[in-house]
Amino acid sequence: MIQPLFEQNTEVNDTTLNVIAHMPTTSLPTLISDDFSTKLSDGDFMRVAVLLAKKSYEEGGCPIGAVIINNENNQIVGKGHNTLVQESHPYNHGETSAIRDAGRIDFSKTTLYTSLSPCDVCATLLYMRGFKRVVVGDITNASGNESLLKEKGLQVDILEDQLGVKQYGEFRLQKPEQDLEDWQGVAALK
């Protein structure tokens, strides 16, 4: 049997969380012990989403990431990042990428952590798929669908991660056209 890489005694820090962000989701149950998963907090899962957003930006994309956890055991069941540019995919946002990664599961038993307030399409997908809780990591640079999600019965918690807020703010200044395209499509650039 393979010994987990991250166990109860493993320190939770940005290095550890960055490894988790970059490992395939299907490998995580082998690499992370149950004891380690149970000690992860909302802030830790949000930081994984922010590190996924950083990965997207380093690939030339929009810095948005998302993580989905199983509420019963705190295990990550899906994660993803925005690949609008990398895959030329207009709606592979952080949230949709994480949902696709999780696959066909009961999302009512999960929590989604997103590094940025969800767009209209992602917000709609969240309530259509039955999520009960969403944690939003940046409403400083973008907000608006939190009230819609609450109206649809989702618990919405705001947990701004300052690295994520800074990261997206810098992206908006450096690549305003890419930001606009991500939110409104290529037609908005005319």
Side-chain angles (χ1 to χ4, degrees):
M1 182 172 171
I2 297 174
Q3 184 72 19
L5 183 61
F6 303 123
E7 301 177 302
Q8 184 175 10
N9 298 338
T10 306
E11 183 180 347
V12 178
N13 56 36
D14 276 2
T15 301
T16 304
L17 297 175
N18 198 36
V19 170
I20 292 169
H22 285 79
M23 295 303 296
T25 305
T26 55
S27 299
L28 294 179
T30 303
L31 300 173
I32 299 173
S33 73
D34 291 342
D35 290 342
F36 183 82
S37 286
T38 57
K39 74 179 187 175
L40 295 175
S41 67
D42 282 348
D44 297 327
F45 291 119
M46 182 57 68
R47 182 50 63 103
V48 173
V50 166
L51 292 167
L52 286 162
K54 182 179 181 196
K55 178 182 186 217
S56 179
Y57 186 71
E58 289 171 350
E59 293 173 352
C62 304
I64 306 166
V67 174
I68 301 170
I69 67 158
N70 178 318
N71 294 334
E72 294 174 5
N73 60 16
N74 245 24
Q75 293 281 338
I76 294 173
V77 295
K79 55 190 177 70
H81 61 283
N82 186 301
T83 57
L84 168 82
V85 171
Q86 302 93 307
E87 296 178 8
S88 190
H89 192 300
Y91 283 110
N92 203 16
H93 288 177
E95 300 91 342
T96 58
S97 179
I99 291 167
R100 182 181 68 193
D101 186 46
R104 295 174 62 204
I105 65 170
D106 182 353
F107 290 107
S108 71
K109 298 177 181 178
T110 67
T111 297
L112 182 132
Y113 297 82
T114 178
S115 65
L116 188 70
S117 178
C119 72
D120 294 346
V121 171
C122 292
T124 301
L125 187 61
L126 291 174
Y127 69 76
M128 286 180 66
R129 288 292 166 244
F131 282 89
K132 298 296 183 207
R133 180 173 182 239
V134 176
V135 182
V136 179
D138 180 357
I139 60 168
T140 298
N141 290 299
S143 65
N145 281 318
E146 293 76 24
S147 60
L148 168 70
L149 292 170
K150 289 177 184 177
E151 288 171 17
K152 295 293 187 178
L154 281 78
Q155 176 184 335
V156 178
D157 296 314
I158 307 302
L159 181 62
E160 286 200 305
D161 181 297
Q162 291 310 304
L163 175 62
V165 171
K166 179 182 177 199
Q167 190 170 258
Y168 200 84
E170 290 173 358
F171 163 74
R172 277 204 150 152
L173 290 173
Q174 295 166 357
K175 298 182 178 182
E177 288 185 352
Q178 188 175 331
D179 178 53
L180 182 62
E181 178 187 351
D182 188 58
W183 285 92
Q184 297 179 23
V186 174
L189 300 178
K190 296 178 183 176

